[in-house]
Amino acid sequence: MTHTLTLTFSVAPDAEIFAIGDIHGHAPLLDDLLERIARTPRLPGKRRIVVFLGDLINRGPQSIATLDLAAAAHERVQADEVVGLWGNHEQMLRLAMLPAHDPRCISARALWMQHGGPGFLAELGIGSPFALADALGERRLAWLTGLRPHFRSGNVLFVHGGVNPRIPLAAFLLAPVEVDIAKLDYDLHWAWIRYTFARFEPRQEGRRGHQGVFVAHGHLQGHLDVVTRADAQLARDRINLDGGSYSTGRARMARFVDDRLSLFEAAVTETGIPGKGFDAVPVDWIDTVS
């Protein structure tokens, strides 16, 4: 079922944008969502843009297949443009490929190896991060190299984690990709911020949006959000497209056309990891949307 509603914000008048949230190595979820885009008729006069909000990889069993699906999405869905955004997991991967003596590499590898790194290496058939670049190959490296921190169309902002309501938007979005994660204040980075952003209610402070923009984001698993229903998120001028894929078996997508927003969910019942099931109960995200 598709749920469509009207926003007080809009994307560029020539754009049809599909935004896909966190997949975390569950390729069947991404395959399902891409197939839905491919089956959607093109709109005359609109450029079809697909935005991946980051965290395609890690935690699930098919990170490499997921990257390959994203890299091939352009032709499959007849897109005019495909935009990949940095998630914190792609960021950790990037930092893990820096020279081994670099402090940013050391701290990122330590964290990455606790949050999906070993499975990612196993998929590539290697035992050490030192061989990552060669094992990934040119096409996947090109995809990772082309990732962006954020994407904006009209007054809708697409970003992995969110924005900080107390920092000027332009300055906040300038935070670099290559950071020392061990020293990072998560509230100061667009790929890592969570609850400082999620708890903010612009309208209670007389604001329209997050410094003038509606935010489509991921990073915060839907069942852990401070408001889990889509209508409550929209009341905060944002939509959370992290369905908690590796915990719930759900992935989310949104379609933006002018000031209209349509919401979709995909679901799988098996993790693909022997002996491991999904350990969180999905929330009713879109059943309340009218």
Side-chain angles (χ1 to χ4, degrees):
M1 183 180 296
T2 303
H3 301 260
T4 302
L5 60 157
T6 301
L7 302 175
T8 58
F9 302 82
S10 62
V11 296
D14 65 342
E16 173 201 39
I17 300 177
F18 289 89
I20 296 175
D22 305 43
I23 299 296
H24 280 297
H26 287 283
L29 289 172
L30 182 55
D31 187 59
D32 183 328
L33 295 175
L34 291 174
E35 186 58 28
R36 296 190 200 193
I37 300 173
R39 293 198 306 262
T40 302
R42 291 290 302 263
L43 296 174
K46 302 285 188 184
R47 297 179 68 250
R48 173 165 287 183
I49 302 170
V50 177
V51 179
F52 294 99
L53 290 174
D55 281 8
L56 291 175
I57 62 170
N58 294 343
R59 299 188 184 275
Q62 302 125 355
S63 288
I64 304 306
T66 301
L67 282 178
D68 291 342
L69 283 170
H74 194 284
E75 292 184 3
R76 178 175 180 179
V77 305
Q78 301 180 55
D80 295 288
E81 184 177 5
V82 173
V83 177
L85 302 185
W86 289 103
N88 59 307
H89 281 264
E90 287 85 5
Q91 183 188 29
M92 285 190 285
L93 173 61
R94 167 64 187 139
L95 293 170
M97 291 192 286
L98 292 175
H101 64 274
D102 191 316
R104 297 169 298 178
C105 174
I106 295 169
S107 60
R109 284 187 183 181
L111 188 60
W112 187 53
M113 295 303 282
Q114 298 173 37
H115 297 283
F120 190 91
L121 295 175
E123 284 189 61
L124 290 171
I126 59 176
S128 168
F130 294 109
L132 271 169
D134 288 339
L136 280 167
E138 290 185 8
R139 189 179 190 190
R140 297 179 192 126
L141 283 175
W143 167 262
L144 292 167
T145 301
L147 296 179
R148 309 183 198 179
H150 59 89
F151 178 75
R152 180 169 175 171
S153 178
N155 52 14
V156 178
L157 177 71
F158 302 84
V159 64
H160 180 64
V163 299
N164 190 313
R166 307 306 175 197
I167 299 175
L169 184 62
F172 181 77
L173 294 174
L174 287 176
V177 173
E178 295 186 354
V179 298
D180 187 340
I181 293 175
K183 299 178 180 178
L184 183 65
D185 181 339
Y186 290 177
D187 278 348
L188 301 182
H189 202 284
W190 39 264
W192 292 86
I193 191 169
R194 278 196 175 103
Y195 289 106
T196 295
F197 165 63
R199 292 191 180 102
F200 183 62
E201 299 182 65
R203 300 177 196 186
Q204 285 197 354
E205 297 193 9
R207 300 191 190 186
R208 181 174 183 269
H210 298 266
Q211 300 182 55
V213 296
F214 180 92
V215 180
H217 67 96
H219 188 53
L220 176 56
Q221 294 184 73
H223 61 288
L224 300 178
D225 202 331
V226 295
V227 287
T228 58
R229 301 189 319 271
D231 56 350
Q233 293 164 10
L234 295 175
R236 298 180 181 223
D237 295 330
R238 65 180 177 90
I239 190 69
N240 183 357
L241 297 180
D242 183 350
S245 50
Y246 71 90
S247 297
T248 65
R250 301 282 182 93
R252 297 174 178 176
M253 178 172 72
R255 181 190 188 216
F256 294 82
V257 179
D258 299 320
D259 60 354
R260 299 188 305 281
L261 172 65
S262 302
L263 303 175
F264 309 80
E265 274 194 320
V268 293
T269 57
E270 300 292 336
T271 67
I273 303 174
K276 182 183 184 303
F278 294 114
D279 56 10
V281 177
V283 296
D284 290 330
W285 178 55
I286 56 179
D287 290 348
T288 58
V289 175
S290 58

